[in-house]
Structure formats: structure tokens, C-alpha cells
Amino acid sequence: MLLGHRFVALATLATVAFALSGPTRAQAADAGKPVVGGTLTAAAPGDPRSLDPVASPGPLTDRYSELLYEALFASDRNFTPRPMLVERHEVSADKLVYTFHLRKGVRFHDGSPMTSKDVVASLNRFLGVTAIGKQVAHDVKSLQAADDHTVVLTLARPRYPLLSELATTAADIFKADIAANAPATGFTGEQAIGTGPYKLKSWKPGQEIVLEKFDGYASRSEENWGGFAGAKHAYLQTLAFPIVRDANAQVIGLKSGRWDFVEPNIDQYDVLKSDPRLVVHPLAGANLNVFVLNQSAGSLFSNVKARKALSLLIDRKAIGAAMGANKDIVENTPAYVIQAIKHMFSSAGEKDYTAHDPKKAKALFAEAGLKPTDTIQIMTISTFPWMQQMATVLQAELKAIGIESKISTYDWPTAAKLVQSATGWDIQTVFYNAVSTSPAGLRVLSNPYKNRFETAKGNQLKAAYDAAQTDAEAAKALDAMQQYFWDEYANVTVNITHEFAAYTPRLKGYGHFYRVFWNSWLAK
């Protein structure tokens, strides 16, 4: 890790490190010669309702964005930003001017060439619409096309994590007319046009999304970068994603041969791992499991005493056990990201994270103004079963100290809308991406609906990280920022759980990095 005093969950280090490594050349050779063609069927837990990662960021949209679209940069297997749509780039000595030379010969799925016009329009949307982009925009002085294949981004002040931020799905590149005219609700399915190795073939909402190989794809040549970066060979002709909301149905379909690939609920890890007919492996993707708190003015959790009370109340290990989190796929840490992301991992807040005192929690709730007749409203998500398990344990823990609560369950899109309200809920079980590569990408610390934690000091501490000139400065700033958010109990985090996949042994070349199905094939 780049940061000095880093907490390491030793029980998971070896497994997680292997999970993130991706296939080596030797492993690829062992898999045999790639087979071209065929359809991989990967069950998906829900319908995304949008294929626009800018307007509708989230896990259901991201699984398709990774295959359809590309950005100027992409994270490799070690989460280092690498050039993707950029051929090369230069940075001025004062770190204020970035000149991006675009790759020539890159085409969108409709056959039109990608130019600087598309990049400028897409990045303007990124800067004006997305949570990450709006934070980056504070440091941007100008963005312009110098010619058809050169884009110049000028900053008002240096920004340490800029390239990592340009390697996110929020900064994906779309056709200029689509990016410039997309409504707040996002572009249509017919406009889901990118430069990725797969393109949209069909979408039956609520039933299935099918992608097919893009014959006009222009791959990079680097074979060993891994992750989202480097060469992308679309050996598979078709990727079919049937919508299978029931977790048990996903597993049954896999075992019967109906599906080739599933990402089961975490409580199924042990059972599936013991099945010799399947390959079961942790993935690079991970979730930061959180109790998000409604901190609208006048609400219970606008009081820091109530927020601290909730953190002291919960038994994080008991919640993890109820979630079914096997030690192979869990990190018990105060950090907001997995330990593999060295420049963003900190142990600050560990004392607050590990504290557990229900008696003190009860007293703090009372001091915060919670009355015996009050009922805490808990919102949870049916799409992801472990979210419901979090809510159930929390309800029992509240009951044990004499506090009533009510659980309301919704699917992901509905919950995402309801949580924007200032009323009607107190706590939501949710998970965020635990592989963010900059503070701007930490959704757990963002305030998109003006009902979350946000202070001038918190913003200043995040800005201090952005302004760092060296790795050491960034490490110091990160520690200070994370400790402050724990001091204020901005949100109450539970743990980090790695996603895992279970799939047919016929799937070869797969590097256990999200849904990166390029460079993969089905053996005959």
C-alpha cells in the first residue's frame, strides 16, 4: 500500500490477492486455444431500466457498461489507470495542462469514427452531471478539441487522482450528439452505442439483455494489463443476460446447465464452493455494505449522537454472519475500499469501527431525542438478499434496547427513488462500490439528494487529497479525511464483501475481474 500505517485483514489477503490477479500467460496457455463463437449465458439479478451509466449509475447498469462502452483510460488488474481510447498523453510541468492524443481507427457500434468532438461532448456531460465529474469540474478551467484527434484539458489547480477519475464508467465516451442531448433520465436503449467489444443486440425489459460481438472493434495490443485495460478479444459471439431475480433460481439454473455464469448471493458461497462440478472464485468487484442515514434537517440522524449510537449498537460480525459472508470474501475494516487499492486504503477510524456498546447506544439515542413511542423506519432492497439480512439483524438489535422499527422492502430502482426524499425513511441498507480509485468516487461520502452528511470541513479534507503533489501527501490527506468522517459517523459501514462468481468449467480465459468476458471463451 502507498499509505503508511495500513490495516491488513490477514485472513483474506491471500484469497483476495489471487482473486484480483487475473489470468497470467501461463494460465491462459493451460486453458488451451481460444474457441471463437458461441453464447455465454450469464444470469443477472435484475433489470437495469437504463443502459446509461451517467444518468443511472449502479451495479445493474455497470455490468453492461463494462462491455459496451470505453473511456479515455481504463483500470488494469492492479487498479492503475492505463490508456484506452487515448494513444498517449502529455502533462505540463506544472501539472495543469493535459493533452490527450486519441487513437485513430476507433469506431462506434454504428460504424461512425470516434473523434475529439465525441470526447469533449462526453466529458462535458461527465463534468456537469455525474457525482464524480461535478467534483472534478471544480478544478477544470477549460476543455477543448485541438483537432480531430487531440483534446486539451486545462486545470485551474493540479488534481492528483485525475487519470483514475477519467477511468470510471462515469467518464465513458459516447457519440457527441447523444452525449450533448441526453435528458436527465438518460439516453434510450437504441442510443446505447459505444466503442466496446460488444454491442447491444436486443433488450426485453424485465426479461433479457443480449449483447453480440462488435466486428468493427479496434483492440489495443497490450495483452498483459488485465482488468478493464489492454487487449480485448471478443471470442464469444453472444452474451445473453436473462433476468433472474430469485437467487435460488440462479443457482438451480447454473447446476442444471441452463446458465453458464452466475453471481450468487454471498450466503451461497460455501455450498457452491463444495460442488466439484462448478468453478467458484472471488471477483475483483466488492461491495461496501452500509447503513445510509437520512440526515435531513430535523431528522433523528441529523444528530451525531444518534449516528454514533447506531454504530455502537450494531454487532458487525453478527451481521456479517447473517449475510453469510465467508472469510474468503469479507474484509472487516473501517476503510471505504478494498485493500488492493493501495492509494485509497486507510485504517483511520479503526477504533470507532470496532467499538460495540449497546448500553451506551441506548443512552445516546435518548440524548439525541428519540422517544419511546418513536418507530425507526428501515428501507431495504429485495434485489439483493443480503441487504434484507442486514435489516433483519438491525431490527433485532434495536428491539433488544427497547427501540421499535419497521422494515419496508423495495426493488433497487424503487428504493433508489424513495431514498431521495427527506421524509418517510430513517435508515437504508445499501452497498456502494468498494473499488473507488479517488475520493470523488466514494458514493458513501457523497450527498446527491441533500439529505446526507456534508460539511465544509469534509469537503476541504477531500480537496486536500485531490491537491496532493506526492503519494505521501495523498496518504496523509486520506487518513485525515477518513478519520474525520468516522468522528462524525457520516454513515455507518458494516463490512466489505467481495463479489464471487460460480460458473461452468467450460468457461476459459476468464480473469475473475467483474464481467470482463472479452478474452474468454467456452471450451467444446
Side-chain angles (χ1 to χ4, degrees):
M1 302 289 174
L2 298 179
L3 307 184
H5 54 287
R6 292 295 161 253
F7 169 80
V8 177
L10 294 177
T12 65
L13 181 59
T15 299
V16 172
F18 176 63
L20 301 183
S21 64
T24 63
R25 282 196 176 200
Q27 289 170 329
D30 290 342
K33 184 179 179 180
V35 176
V36 177
T39 297
L40 178 76
T41 304
D47 191 285
R49 298 196 183 182
S50 173
L51 293 177
D52 184 347
V54 173
S56 301
L60 295 180
T61 300
D62 286 349
R63 68 180 57 241
Y64 308 105
S65 302
E66 296 156 1
L67 298 157
L68 292 168
Y69 317 119
E70 295 175 316
L72 294 184
F73 293 84
S75 295
D76 68 13
R77 62 167 59 91
N78 297 314
F79 299 97
T80 299
R82 301 278 197 168
M84 177 47 69
L85 295 178
V86 166
E87 182 65 40
R88 70 183 193 281
H89 73 285
E90 294 123 20
V91 184
S92 63
D94 60 6
K95 299 182 180 179
L96 295 179
V97 181
Y98 286 71
T99 303
F100 302 118
H101 301 278
L102 307 180
R103 291 169 54 207
K104 297 179 180 179
V106 175
R107 293 187 176 275
F108 288 101
H109 297 153
D110 65 354
S112 60
M114 181 201 70
T115 70
S116 56
K117 181 180 179 181
D118 304 301
V119 172
V120 170
S122 298
L123 292 186
N124 276 330
R125 187 178 184 223
F126 161 70
L127 296 169
V129 174
T130 69
I132 298 176
K134 288 178 180 179
Q135 296 177 68
V136 176
H138 290 302
D139 291 338
V140 173
K141 187 176 180 180
S142 66
L143 172 68
Q144 54 189 245
D147 58 43
D148 284 350
H149 290 92
T150 307
V151 174
V152 179
L153 176 66
T154 303
L155 300 176
R157 59 193 66 84
R159 188 172 180 88
Y160 178 78
L162 179 63
L163 297 188
S164 290
E165 292 162 339
L166 293 178
T168 63
T169 55
D172 281 341
I173 304 303
F174 310 98
K175 293 186 63 177
D177 58 336
I178 294 174
N181 298 302
T185 53
F187 51 65
T188 65
E190 290 75 14
Q191 294 174 314
I193 299 170
T195 61
Y198 287 91
K199 63 181 181 179
L200 181 65
K201 180 179 182 180
S202 63
W203 179 10
K204 297 178 181 178
Q207 298 181 48
E208 185 179 48
I209 293 177
V210 179
L211 309 184
E212 64 180 351
K213 177 181 179 179
F214 173 39
D215 290 330
Y217 181 68
S219 175
R220 295 192 66 92
S221 61
E222 299 85 359
E223 299 286 350
N224 292 320
W225 283 355
F228 294 125
K232 300 179 182 180
H233 303 295
Y235 297 124
L236 292 160
Q237 179 63 33
T238 310
L239 304 175
F241 297 91
I243 308 304
V244 186
R245 292 183 171 85
D246 184 85
N248 291 325
Q250 293 178 22
V251 172
I252 292 170
L254 176 67
K255 290 186 174 183
S256 69
R258 189 175 183 183
W259 331 125
D260 301 309
F261 181 100
V262 300
E263 293 172 70
N265 190 27
I266 56 178
D267 64 0
Q268 296 171 313
Y269 182 83
D270 290 331
V271 172
L272 293 172
K273 186 75 172 177
S274 65
D275 191 330
R277 299 170 299 170
L278 304 174
V279 178
V280 177
H281 204 293
L283 301 180
N287 302 317
L288 175 66
N289 300 300
V290 185
F291 291 118
V292 168
L293 309 176
N294 183 351
Q295 299 180 48
S296 301
S299 66
L300 172 65
F301 290 107
S302 64
N303 189 318
V304 67
K305 289 183 178 180
R307 302 196 297 269
K308 182 175 182 178
L310 186 66
S311 186
L312 286 171
L313 172 64
I314 63 172
D315 183 337
R316 290 174 168 85
K317 290 186 177 180
I319 294 175
M323 295 166 67
N326 180 286
K327 64 180 179 63
D328 289 352
I329 56 174
V330 68
E331 295 185 43
N332 292 304
T333 171
Y336 298 128
V337 301
I338 58 175
Q339 54 190 295
I341 304 181
K342 302 177 181 180
H343 63 284
M344 280 290 292
F345 188 88
S346 170
S347 62
E350 184 176 352
K351 183 177 179 180
D352 304 296
Y353 175 80
T354 56
H356 177 54
D357 189 338
K359 184 177 179 179
K360 186 175 181 180
K362 182 176 181 178
L364 284 172
F365 271 126
E367 291 176 25
L370 184 67
K371 300 178 180 64
T373 56
D374 290 340
T375 299
I376 291 180
Q377 301 293 327
I378 303 171
M379 187 192 309
T380 191
I381 301 168
S382 61
T383 313
F384 305 101
W386 73 92
M387 296 282 98
Q388 299 171 66
Q389 292 150 0
M390 286 174 60
T392 300
V393 175
L394 173 59
Q395 185 176 53
E397 291 177 328
L398 287 166
K399 183 72 173 179
I401 62 170
I403 298 175
E404 294 298 320
S405 62
K406 178 184 177 183
I407 297 175
S408 299
T409 304
Y410 304 95
D411 64 14
W412 178 275
T414 302
K417 290 181 180 179
L418 293 175
V419 79
Q420 300 177 32
S421 174
T423 60
W425 68 282
D426 297 301
I427 302 171
Q428 184 192 37
T429 63
V430 75
F431 65 91
Y432 293 107
N433 184 6
V435 292
S436 298
T437 52
S438 82
L442 291 173
R443 292 179 187 170
V444 68
L445 300 183
S446 67
N447 185 19
Y449 312 126
K450 307 306 178 186
N451 58 9
R452 312 288 174 84
F453 181 86
E454 184 174 21
T455 64
K457 182 175 180 180
N459 291 335
Q460 289 170 0
L461 289 169
K462 286 192 282 187
Y465 179 92
D466 295 338
Q469 296 290 306
T470 65
D471 292 343
E473 286 182 13
K476 183 178 179 180
L478 179 62
D479 284 341
M481 177 191 73
Q482 186 167 300
Q483 185 60 60
Y484 171 74
F485 283 106
W486 269 105
D487 289 342
E488 296 291 334
Y489 297 91
N491 282 297
V492 177
T493 63
V494 177
N495 55 28
I496 291 175
T497 49
H498 282 261
E499 299 170 7
F500 78 95
Y503 57 91
T504 172
R506 292 181 57 227
L507 179 60
K508 304 296 183 181
Y510 177 59
H512 306 115
F513 203 90
Y514 294 87
R515 274 68 55 180
V516 172
F517 293 132
W518 57 80
N519 302 339
S520 301
W521 65 93
L522 288 171
K524 294 182 178 179

